[in-house]
Amino acid sequence: MARLPVFAGPDQAYRCTGGGSQTFSDLPCAAGERQEIIDLRTPPPGTPTASYAEQYRRLVASRSPVSSEAAPRSATPRSDAESDKEAECRALMYLIDQIDAHLRQPQGPAYIEMQKARRLSASDKRFSLGC
């Protein structure tokens, strides 16, 4: 599986709340404002974050047990190549989602252009794989 280049970027941002408004910055909040630190590091593609893992745990716990009367599903065997392709497609889509999330936040022009280039590269790779 080809790896995309990783570029250095800001690791954290600050959400500042005060005076009835909310701002985001790469600098700490002013005195008197409520500050929340936001982690911007992107986990490796395919790695669930703690919140996803927690959501999955809750989902599994909330499922009702399968009754024995339910018809069994027939599994279609897949080749390793198909599994690898699907895994790479999922990883690329995860990367694109993470880049989109970063681009929705205020960023500098150079960082935005770098992220757009990464997104285009991932999208082109998805297209070439036929995802």
Side-chain angles (χ1 to χ4, degrees):
M1 178 165 98
R3 300 247 179 206
L4 296 174
V6 177
F7 297 98
D11 287 344
Q12 65 186 16
Y14 299 91
R15 179 184 298 158
C16 305
T17 309
S21 67
Q22 176 175 287
T23 59
F24 294 89
S25 174
D26 58 343
L27 302 172
C29 301
E33 290 184 325
R34 187 174 151 261
Q35 174 175 295
E36 179 184 346
I37 298 175
I38 301 168
D39 186 12
L40 298 178
R41 290 177 293 192
T42 304
T47 305
T49 61
S51 61
Y52 289 155
E54 179 63 22
Q55 290 175 24
Y56 179 75
R57 187 192 63 73
R58 288 182 195 157
L59 176 68
V60 170
S62 68
R63 286 184 180 165
S64 60
V66 177
S67 67
S68 59
E69 298 169 4
R73 293 182 181 179
S74 61
T76 306
R78 295 184 179 174
S79 69
D80 288 338
E82 286 178 13
S83 298
D84 290 344
K85 177 183 168 186
E86 288 176 8
E88 189 168 1
C89 288
R90 281 193 308 274
L92 288 167
M93 194 63 223
Y94 180 80
L95 176 63
I96 290 169
D97 288 343
Q98 292 297 309
I99 292 170
D100 288 344
H102 283 210
L103 290 174
R104 286 190 291 271
Q105 301 298 320
Q107 305 289 346
Y111 185 76
I112 289 172
E113 290 304 316
M114 176 189 63
Q115 293 292 7
K116 284 182 178 180
R118 288 181 64 208
R119 189 185 193 292
L120 179 63
S121 174
S123 295
D124 288 347
K125 179 73 174 175
R126 285 190 79 237
F127 181 78
S128 67
L129 288 171
C131 298

